[in-house]
């Protein structure tokens, strides 16, 4: 029953985000906790064909915001090129090693399962944006540095081809990994659990005895 509920929640993500439109709301979106804001006016000057300059110091909110803008610049280019499996490509390119390993282990466990018995079901990367076929205009990026090697970024976007100006908000938890900020979690309490998307993955893994990290080599085994 738990598996079915989890799969149902994943399947509902795309529908929920599309249906919410400008009603989509992420925890903290209307507060000042995300301190540094890149406004729509300043982002308007950073068109897709203009190269941003990467901040020299990675441990800044500017570096987090730069990484987020680069992710969606790449996304828009892939949409224009009619790329397939875009959600998976974004995961592989921009997510942490921990996230990708957990995703791989769950997929291996579910390889022989079908329908509601699979965690991922038919999801197609809706964590990044509910509509993977339409370019986005990034209206606002706000970021804050958390403890350790973590950061949080909130992105407000508008679909370029939507005459109604449908808006959405996505919030990411990022980890510093291999010299850049990588997405480790997608925070949307109204759609995912309180612990975000990776919290759902971890719960599913625990309930099905799926390893969440690489196993340590046995004594004497080659590294």
């Amino acid at each position: 029953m738990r598996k079915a509920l989890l799969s149902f929640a994943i399947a509902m993500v795309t529908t929920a985000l599309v249906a919410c439109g400008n009603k989509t709301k992420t925890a903290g979106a209307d507060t000042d906790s995300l301190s540094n804001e890149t406004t729509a006016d300043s982002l308007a000057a950073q068109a897709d064909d203009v190269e941003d300059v990467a901040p020299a110091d990675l441990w800044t909110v500017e570096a987090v915001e730069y990484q987020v803008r680069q992710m969606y610049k790449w996304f828009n280019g892939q949409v224009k090129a009619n790329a397939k499996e875009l959600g998976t490509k974004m995961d592989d390119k921009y997510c942490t090693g921990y996230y990708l390993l957990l995703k791989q282990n769950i997929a291996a466990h579910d390889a022989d399962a079908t329908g509601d018995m699979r965690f991922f079901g038919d999801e197609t990367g809706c964590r990044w944006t509910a509509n993977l076929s339409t370019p986005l205009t990034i209206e606002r990026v706000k970021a804050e540095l958390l403890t350790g090697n973590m950061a949080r970024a909130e992105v407000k976007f508008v679909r370029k081809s939507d005459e109604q100006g449908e808006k959405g908000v996505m919030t990411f938890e990022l980890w510093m990994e291999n010299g850049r900020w990588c997405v480790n979690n997608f925070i949307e309490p109204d759609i995912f659990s309180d612990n975000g998307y990776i919290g759902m993955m971890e719960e599913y893994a625990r309930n099905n005895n799926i390893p969440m990290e690489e196993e340590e080599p046995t004594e004497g085994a080659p590294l």
Side-chain angles (χ1 to χ4, degrees):
M1 181 64 178
R2 184 181 294 273
K3 293 181 183 178
L5 288 174
L6 283 169
S7 296
F8 177 76
I10 298 300
M12 288 296 291
V13 172
T14 299
T15 302
L17 283 175
V18 172
C20 286
N22 57 11
K23 297 179 181 178
T24 302
K25 184 177 181 181
T26 304
D30 295 322
T31 70
D32 294 327
S33 62
L34 299 176
S35 57
N36 192 6
E37 179 174 336
T38 302
T39 65
D41 290 340
S42 63
L43 278 176
Q46 298 169 352
D48 289 347
D49 58 350
V50 176
E51 288 295 328
D52 292 326
V53 178
D57 187 355
L58 294 176
W59 296 96
T60 62
V61 290
E62 289 82 8
V64 178
E65 293 171 357
Y66 168 83
Q67 176 64 18
V68 171
R69 291 194 300 272
Q70 292 302 302
M71 292 191 307
Y72 282 99
K73 179 182 287 188
W74 184 86
F75 167 82
N76 284 341
Q78 292 291 301
V79 171
K80 292 175 182 177
N82 295 315
K84 305 299 182 183
E85 299 182 354
L86 184 48
T88 297
K89 290 181 179 179
M90 290 197 76
D91 285 353
D92 292 343
K93 188 174 180 67
Y94 295 115
C95 284
T96 63
Y98 173 71
Y99 177 97
L100 293 174
L101 179 64
L102 181 55
K103 178 181 176 181
Q104 173 185 305
N105 290 345
I106 290 176
H109 173 272
D110 292 353
D112 297 327
T114 58
D116 291 342
M117 300 306 293
R118 300 171 61 225
F119 178 84
F120 292 112
D122 296 324
E123 64 88 26
T124 55
C126 51
R127 299 169 302 284
W128 297 96
T129 169
N131 183 348
L132 289 172
S133 62
T134 306
L136 303 176
T137 296
I138 303 301
E139 280 199 333
R140 183 183 68 194
V141 180
K142 294 193 295 184
E144 66 173 337
L145 299 178
L146 305 177
T147 58
N149 65 338
M150 295 188 297
R152 181 177 171 123
E154 176 190 288
V155 186
K156 182 178 180 182
F157 56 79
V158 178
R159 305 194 191 291
K160 291 184 178 181
S161 63
D162 191 340
E163 294 180 357
Q164 300 297 321
E166 183 183 359
K167 299 181 179 181
V169 176
M170 298 297 290
T171 302
F172 307 109
E173 177 190 280
L174 301 99
W175 290 2
M176 175 65 74
E177 187 174 278
N178 297 324
R180 66 171 183 159
W181 289 102
C182 300
V183 176
N184 190 66
N185 197 6
F186 301 82
I187 310 296
E188 179 48 273
D190 292 338
I191 298 176
F192 308 128
S193 68
D194 290 341
N195 294 321
Y197 188 78
I198 204 160
M200 294 176 65
M201 294 171 69
E202 290 173 334
E203 181 181 3
Y204 183 81
R206 284 191 293 268
N207 292 336
N208 291 277
N209 297 315
I210 299 172
M212 289 187 279
E213 296 181 356
E214 287 185 293
E215 295 184 4
E216 293 293 332
T218 57
E219 186 176 352
L223 296 177

